[in-house]
Amino acid sequence: MSFKNIIGQKDVINYLTNAFSEDKIGHAYIFCGPEGIGKKTVAEEFAALILCENPRNNKKCGQCSSCRLFESGASPDIRRLSVESLSIGVDEVRESLSDLVIKPMYSARKVYIINDAEKLTAQAQNAILKSLEEPPSYATIILITTVYDILLETIRSRAVKVKFKENSYQEVMEAITKKLGPGIDKERAEFAALWSNGSIGRALAMAEGQEFSDLREKTFDAIIKIEKEKLRGIFEISSFFEKNKESCNLILDFMISYYRDILMAAETANENMLINKDKEDIIFTKVFEYTAEQLAAAIAYVIDAKKNIRYNANYMLAIENMLIGIAQI
Ligand SMILES: [Zn+2]
């Protein structure tokens, strides 16, 4: 891997390699932007570059001890914090930063990468803040997050914000073709690219796995259940959301696409304008069941739920409020 193999994010990569070549590497960065667009990949690559003992033309050498240790995953000069649970507590942060005061072993610098920083509790953020107030000269901490605003102002003011952009449709297609080979089913690749919201990570997951299609089918079943049973259907649908909490963003996007497609079908009567082209039959029959206002209201409920979940509101409460709203439009 190297920066040149990363598709997209050219501005970010230029910015970071310039900082490197001018010897202006920061002590703290916040890499922010939607999921699946390369924040972790760029962070890893940047870390490898600044840890390399013998970089040339802003590229890691790939041969020094540091590069080899990095490659094997055994470098003592980089630490990563990633947790599966929904929050990152103060103990996990302290443990991760515990060797910050110890000088790097192979490199001139030490890098700490904290993934999913939106999960950091306030105390955990305060623990990081202590390290950011007087960081050792060799330390660089990279916080990676999808929600920049959720971090404390005190952290934000001490870190350089590095904003990642959504990938373009072409970049997503390029990534899919590169990863899955030119033999990939073209229709499936296009569908994944269209669905990815500019996220290469999401597009690849979709193009590769059956899981995505299954989840979309189940989401559509759930929507149709609300249409038929209204409030009576909510209990069962809630449990679908409960079981698929990890994929809730995707499910909510499926919901938006459903209502958006009906709106599009009503306005244009053109099946090529649909995201869910394969569901054309269902979508065109629904045109007569909704007014444009109702569709806009349904979309607004889903967007609201997305926002609430993103800002750590009670997940099931946010989902139930949305379902109740939609059942009553
Ligand atoms: Zn090297």
Side-chain angles (χ1 to χ4, degrees), residues 48 51-55 60-68:
L51 294 182
C52 174
E53 295 161 65
N54 193 20
K60 65 182 177 194
C61 75
Q63 267 139 42
C64 66
S65 320
S66 180
C67 280
R68 276 183 296 169

Side-chain angles (χ1 to χ4, degrees), residues 114-281:
I114 300 179
N115 286 304
D116 307 317
E118 66 281 357
K119 293 183 182 174
L120 290 162
T121 63
Q123 290 127 300
Q125 291 188 54
N126 280 319
I128 296 174
L129 199 56
K130 284 223 172 80
S131 308
L132 292 184
E133 275 162 359
E134 278 175 61
S137 59
Y138 48 78
T140 293
I141 300 177
I142 303 174
L143 300 170
I144 298 181
T145 186
T146 51
V147 201
Y148 179 76
D149 299 339
I150 212 168
L151 296 170
L152 296 176
E153 166 59 28
T154 39
I155 297 253
R156 283 186 272 147
S157 64
R158 283 179 173 80
V160 178
K161 179 180 185 180
V162 181
K163 200 167 177 316
F164 285 61
K165 284 195 210 115
E166 275 96 357
N167 300 115
S168 69
Y169 180 82
Q170 282 73 15
E171 286 167 356
V172 175
M173 282 300 279
E174 188 188 337
I176 297 176
T177 318
K178 197 168 170 188
K179 181 89 191 288
L180 305 178
I184 185 187
D185 176 348
K186 193 158 179 280
E187 201 167 294
R188 193 177 171 122
E190 282 173 0
F191 186 72
L194 198 62
W195 254 108
S196 65
N197 265 343
S199 158
I200 287 176
R202 187 188 260 196
L204 286 174
M206 284 177 209
E208 281 175 311
Q210 184 59 34
E211 220 174 296
F212 166 78
S213 312
D214 292 349
L215 201 60
R216 190 176 63 120
E217 291 301 327
K218 285 184 188 150
T219 307
F220 279 27
D221 290 348
I223 297 172
I224 287 167
K225 200 172 175 67
I226 311 184
E227 288 173 348
K228 283 199 184 123
E229 300 181 19
K230 303 286 175 193
L231 289 170
R232 278 178 296 122
I234 286 182
F235 183 70
E236 206 182 310
I237 300 165
S238 298
S239 76
F240 163 68
F241 273 97
E242 204 162 9
K243 265 186 239 146
N244 292 289
K245 189 169 176 180
E246 288 295 308
S247 312
C248 74
N249 248 319
L250 189 54
I251 296 175
L252 296 174
D253 282 348
F254 287 146
M255 292 182 72
I256 293 172
S257 79
Y258 175 85
Y259 298 118
R260 175 249 177 229
D261 273 358
I262 302 172
L263 207 52
M264 208 46 107
E267 277 172 22
T268 68
N270 178 354
E271 72 274 10
N272 290 323
M273 298 299 288
L274 305 184
I275 296 176
N276 302 285
K277 285 199 190 85
D278 56 330
K279 301 280 180 198
E280 174 193 339
D281 293 350

Side-chain angles (χ1 to χ4, degrees), residues 298-313:
I299 292 172
Y301 279 120
V302 184
I303 290 174
D304 240 22
K306 279 186 85 152
K307 212 186 293 166
N308 289 334
I309 293 166
R310 202 169 155 197
Y311 285 98
N312 286 342

